[in-house]
Amino acid sequence: MNESLKKTIQKKTDDIETILDRFLPEEVGYQKTVISAMNYTMKAGGKRIRPMLMDETYRLFGGENREKIEPFMAAIEMIHTYSLIHDDLPALDNDDYRRGRKTAHVVYGEAMAILAGDSLLTYAFETASKAFCGTQEDIRTARAFQILASKPGIYGMIGGQTADVEAEHREISLEELLYIHKNKTSALIECAMMIGAVLAGASEEELKVVETVAEKTGLAFQIQDDILDRTSTREVLGKPVGSDEKNEKNTYVSMKGMEQAKQDVVRYTREAIAAFDSLGRENAFLRKLLLYLSGRTN
């Protein structure tokens, strides 16, 4: 990644951090321990890719009202973070580190980590509901809300996670692995980009193209993640490496081999960019961001 893109990503990440801080709950009252666990994980850093993709897709289609998009940007990151808290639990991936520091269940205990994940999921919808303003724009907001509710659910991220858990310790087909990747990873990226497009007034035809861009980007992103789990270090990734092999998980690398996995990252990225270019709209940073996601090293 060149220095110019790196600086731009960091600047946008810092902006998103400011937005997230505004929407996080205050740590007071009898429930303050679970709020502390929520905020601990939300403030652990990260790339903030999903809210960034949402914001940039919103800009791609001419969106300008920040008050409309910001509650959804915060909500998508809350949903992503809740999924990470639960993924790291002993019953699932049993990881002790995430984003360079100890995971929620290590710091707060397993019960409180479960509640923190539950809380972030429900608080995400409370946060997104702040985008409703009592005007005609609420039609778009309701459509975005619908996407926010469906993509992380049983026909999206949770469906993928379910298949992923049930695929452990046994051989599966490539079709099943792609189902896991498309839902466990792509669905939340689709959610982010589609909400940005909907809130900015994209047509249904354009929305389908955005969904394709996000799906292909998500596949490339996840395959690259599988590669990094084999080739990187905890210091670089900020989380344990080799956990897929430890948990006997099916990955793209274990199924197709390292070289084919690298080739398919390139193929899915090219398909994503081709779909993006077909929209005929300009957002140079978003295009570069999509390319970066598949070639990242952390």
Side-chain angles (χ1 to χ4, degrees):
M1 178 168 50
N2 63 51
E3 281 302 311
S4 176
L5 180 59
K6 185 177 180 180
K7 287 179 180 179
T8 303
I9 289 176
Q10 188 58 57
K11 182 179 179 181
K12 289 181 181 292
T13 301
D14 291 343
D15 177 52
I16 291 169
E17 295 288 356
T18 301
I19 293 169
L20 295 178
D21 284 344
R22 289 207 320 269
F23 286 102
L24 291 178
E26 188 179 357
E27 295 174 21
V28 296
Y30 288 117
Q31 72 274 43
K32 67 181 179 183
T33 303
V34 76
I35 296 173
S36 175
M38 292 164 61
N39 291 348
Y40 169 81
T41 314
M42 282 291 293
K43 292 180 178 181
K47 303 177 186 68
R48 310 305 190 193
I49 292 300
R50 290 149 194 85
M52 195 179 296
L53 287 169
M54 183 186 293
D55 190 31
E56 294 304 320
T57 307
Y58 184 64
R59 295 172 189 269
L60 179 71
F61 288 96
E64 297 177 347
N65 184 357
R66 296 287 288 178
E67 292 182 3
K68 178 64 64 175
I69 193 74
E70 287 178 357
F72 282 96
M73 291 170 65
I76 196 75
E77 192 64 18
M78 289 173 188
I79 290 173
H80 175 56
T81 302
Y82 116 75
S83 75
L84 299 182
I85 291 175
H86 283 186
D87 270 353
D88 291 334
L89 288 168
L92 293 175
D93 291 347
N94 194 24
D95 284 329
D96 291 344
Y97 285 87
R98 171 74 67 173
R99 292 170 175 170
R101 63 178 183 172
K102 290 182 178 179
T103 49
H105 72 269
V106 173
V107 177
Y108 291 91
E110 191 172 347
M112 201 56 64
I114 292 169
L115 291 173
D118 295 343
S119 300
L120 281 169
L121 176 58
T122 53
Y123 197 67
F125 290 97
E126 183 176 339
T127 299
S129 70
K130 294 175 182 177
F132 287 99
C133 57
T135 69
Q136 190 68 19
E137 282 191 11
D138 280 351
I139 295 174
R140 291 180 185 172
T141 305
R143 178 75 174 100
F145 204 84
Q146 182 183 42
I147 294 169
L148 187 72
S150 63
K151 286 292 184 180
I154 57 174
Y155 300 108
M157 183 182 71
I158 293 295
Q161 289 174 322
T162 299
D164 189 33
V165 169
E166 294 188 333
E168 290 180 16
H169 316 300
R170 68 178 177 88
E171 291 187 9
I172 63 172
S173 65
L174 179 60
E175 180 184 5
E176 190 170 351
L177 181 66
L178 288 175
Y179 172 87
I180 292 169
H181 284 359
K182 285 180 181 180
N183 287 276
K184 187 177 178 182
T185 303
S186 290
L188 220 56
I189 294 175
E190 292 167 20
C191 183
M193 295 186 72
M194 290 172 72
I195 286 173
V198 164
L199 291 177
S203 68
E204 284 299 316
E205 184 177 333
E206 288 171 323
L207 192 62
K208 288 178 181 177
V209 176
V210 169
E211 188 173 22
T212 297
V213 172
E215 179 189 316
K216 301 294 185 180
T217 299
L219 284 170
F221 185 92
Q222 182 56 57
I223 296 170
Q224 182 68 8
D225 202 60
D226 290 350
I227 292 170
L228 293 176
D229 191 69
R230 289 283 190 96
T231 62
S232 191
T233 65
R234 195 185 82 181
E235 289 70 29
V236 173
L237 284 185
K239 62 179 182 179
V241 296
S243 59
D244 290 336
E245 188 173 7
K246 177 190 74 175
N247 294 323
E248 296 184 31
K249 284 183 175 286
N250 291 278
T251 70
Y252 210 87
V253 175
S254 66
M255 185 172 291
K256 302 276 281 186
M258 183 64 73
E259 289 309 309
Q260 186 62 53
K262 289 178 179 179
Q263 291 175 27
D264 287 348
V265 166
V266 173
R267 175 169 66 87
Y268 283 124
T269 300
R270 285 175 176 167
E271 290 173 0
I273 294 300
F276 177 84
D277 289 342
S278 76
L279 288 166
R281 292 177 175 270
E282 289 293 325
N283 184 327
F285 170 73
L286 177 55
R287 193 178 191 279
K288 290 177 183 177
L289 181 61
L290 294 172
L291 286 167
Y292 155 73
L293 291 178
S294 60
R296 73 197 193 285
T297 57
N298 58 24

